[in-house]
Amino acid sequence: MKNTVYLFIASIFILFACQTPKTITKTDSENIRLNQLGYYPASVKQFIIVDMNVSDFDIINEENKVVFSGELTQNGLWEASGEEVSSGDFTVFNEPGKYRILLNDSVASYPFEIKDNLYEEALNAAIKSYYFQRASMPIDESYGGIYKRAAGHPDDKCLYHPSSGKTTGTLNSPGGWYDAGDYGKYIVNASLSVGQMLNLIEIYPDAISDGALNIPESGNGVSDLWDELKYELDWILSMQDDDGGVYFKLTALHFGGFIMPEDYNLDRYIIGKGTASTLNFAAVLAQASRLYQNIDSSWSEKALEASKKAWKWAVLNTDVPFKNPKDVSTGEYGDDIFSDDFYWAATELYITTREETYQTYLTENPIEYAHKLTDSWKSFVRNNAFHSLLDNKNLLNEELASSLNANHLSLAESIIEKIDTNPYRIALEQYEWGSNSDILNQAMILCMAHRISGEEKYLTGAEQINDYIFGKNATGYSFLTGYGSKQVMFPHHRPSGADGIDMPIPGFIAGGPNAHKQDKQNVTYTSEFPAKAYIDEQASFASNEVCLNWNAPAVFVMAYLQQVRK
Ligand code: G3I
Ligand code: 9MR
């Protein structure tokens, strides 16, 4: 029996090897949507065909010879994109190499690879994008190459805006990362994003080695990811008032022009102080405190003290939302529900201190186990908490541990069900500002489900979703700058726009399709469909900006896949 199978495989191989190469009349077809980086040998390998009447496909190698053939499945109309969709699957073909998909003997896709270590470079770039966002220090040529630049924003004498509660003096609050395409620094978004990546290093402390990123700290004996996160954590730590409350943001009064950081000419202010910023600060510093204990014990102690002090402030100030004052128009990151922020802070404080009062808080104040889409800086804090708890189940009472486990798997199951019924084999039907982060957060949830259950279907789901980011989507773009065949060239990112270099700085996830098109006065969208409401123009801040909290889940998902697939 075994011999017959071998014979069969060998004859197919010979059949393919003897054929004459195909004559391709059209390459880089926009109608074939695939992961433009490719697939790990062991991965699910799917692609999408839109608006073409075809029933089968071939995979061709670099000599244009067919190495695999398969049938397409008709998936029907996708209302979000207005396309007739079919899909192909060549999961069983796992021979490393460079290939294209071929339709009708003549129409070929962008090239892709089947290989080990598929995401290594893209992952490193996605982390290094944070280095390029560093405030208050130059990007030297030895680390930044052509993207070298002078230091911007010393932020050593920031003025207090009255909304901070202070009217005199200045705050020294240097360093940290710029939030996005703008040069602001915002505590809630910083904390959420660092928290998501701390979730990664709690699971895989060695995911990124020392030296992998070529940053100034490379070679110091500490993982470059840990070093990069510490640059932001030190800034976060500087934003606490003496009474324990944490300022909301450090920005100018308004967004400035598309100029380099070093040319920035607006006064920088410390603005607001509220419950969300204080609790998110408490959470991420408690989380970091336990993880950095062996790296810098005195910093770790300081971080925990600051975290506890912040918690105390929040307990006395349970409902202080932040709203932009009349004279301020930089990012608002509005939120007026704090139960999830309390839950995240209590979670991290409990895991780090093991003090029972925090676990009691969690048990007495349960929150819905859900993934609430959009605005992850406010909606995903709960998931950060769940992920930390799932990774420290041994510290929890049995009831809490088992309900979290069951709830996570049923959340993951609901995502899988959506994938199975969606023509693109993804789980997102709603396209809002930063939709790419919604989709990556869904993939992150599936990675966590795989981690706690070991079930392959969750990993498959995470890969199906992640393929979307690299081109299996209704726009055909690969959304990580510098990667893929159809690249984002004009992100709404001030340094990329102002540096005079054609290629944008690599490693940034663009916001993605946004049905609400809040920037439609600045740009002309070409489609009415939500999943196509994206435009690669610098002016499109609502679909083509970059942002800390959009890169963070990309880092988690790619690093997770690298760990389990490579
Ligand atoms: O969800 C509602 C939807 O129900 C409603 O129909 C629609 C109508 O316009 O609005 C939707 O809400 C939008 C929300 O994003 C959804 O995510 C808001 O209009 C929109 O204003 C809001 O945009 C936020 C944007 O800042 C403007 O405040 C983005 O979420 C947020 O990610 C973005 O964050 C900015 C920072 O402020 C500054 N730094 C860059 C960063 C990224 O763009
Ligand atoms: O450039 C700003 C971007 O960094 C912000 O995230 C975005 C959020 O509202 O706003 C952009 O600034 C725009 C402003 O909001 C409206 N007028 C056009 C500005 C961009 O040119």
Side-chain angles (χ1 to χ4, degrees), residues 266-458:
L266 304 173
D267 288 334
R268 303 272 275 181
Y269 286 84
I270 301 297
I271 302 172
K273 180 167 133 184
T275 309
S277 51
T278 303
L279 284 169
N280 294 179
F281 170 106
V284 79
L285 286 176
Q287 191 182 9
S289 168
R290 70 172 173 272
L291 294 165
Y292 285 77
Q293 216 154 17
N294 295 332
I295 290 177
D296 187 342
S297 62
S298 69
W299 185 89
S300 162
E301 251 170 65
K302 202 164 91 181
L304 186 56
E305 280 319 301
S307 165
K308 287 179 172 171
K309 204 169 155 185
W311 172 266
K312 282 189 188 138
W313 188 91
V315 167
L316 297 174
N317 298 274
T318 55
D319 190 16
V320 187
F322 175 76
K323 291 265 173 291
N324 260 342
K326 278 202 175 60
D327 58 339
V328 174
S329 64
T330 49
E332 184 163 75
Y333 284 128
D335 187 5
D336 49 15
I337 295 170
F338 306 115
S339 47
D340 48 353
D341 305 273
F342 269 105
Y343 196 91
W344 184 31
T347 290
E348 303 301 348
L349 277 160
Y350 173 63
I351 298 170
T352 302
T353 65
R354 323 259 163 112
E355 285 171 25
E356 205 43 47
T357 54
Y358 299 117
Q359 182 168 221
T360 309
Y361 184 92
L362 298 177
T363 325
E364 287 177 358
N365 298 279
I367 55 172
E368 186 192 353
Y369 206 107
H371 174 205
K372 294 182 185 283
L373 291 172
T374 80
D375 301 347
S376 70
W377 76 86
K378 76 171 167 204
S379 58
F380 211 74
V381 290
R382 76 179 59 222
N383 304 88
N384 273 16
F386 299 148
H387 295 160
S388 285
L389 291 168
L390 287 171
D391 223 58
N392 290 279
K393 271 188 291 195
N394 56 323
L395 301 177
L396 309 180
N397 67 55
E398 220 180 294
E399 203 188 326
L400 183 56
S402 63
S403 77
L404 285 165
N405 211 66
N407 284 336
H408 192 81
L409 295 182
S410 80
L411 174 59
E413 208 55 51
S414 70
I415 296 175
I416 297 281
E417 277 164 23
K418 286 185 189 134
I419 294 175
D420 289 345
T421 52
N422 174 289
Y424 263 76
R425 302 295 179 248
I426 55 162
L428 195 72
E429 292 290 347
Q430 184 188 343
Y431 289 81
E432 305 259 354
W433 198 306
S435 63
N436 281 340
S437 67
D438 285 327
I439 208 151
L440 284 162
N441 282 327
Q442 291 176 320
M444 179 171 176
I445 287 167
L446 293 184
C447 290
M448 283 302 293
H450 174 259
R451 177 166 171 79
I452 62 175
S453 70
E455 284 194 56
E456 186 74 10
K457 65 176 176 184
Y458 298 123

Side-chain angles (χ1 to χ4, degrees), residues 28 38 73 101 118 123 126 130 174 180 230 236 244 300 346 350 364 385 412 515 539 556 561:
D28 300 346
T73 309
I101 295 155
L118 178 69
L123 168 62
Y130 291 106
K230 183 73 170 14
I236 292 175
S300 162
Y350 173 63
E364 287 177 358
F556 186 101
L561 294 177

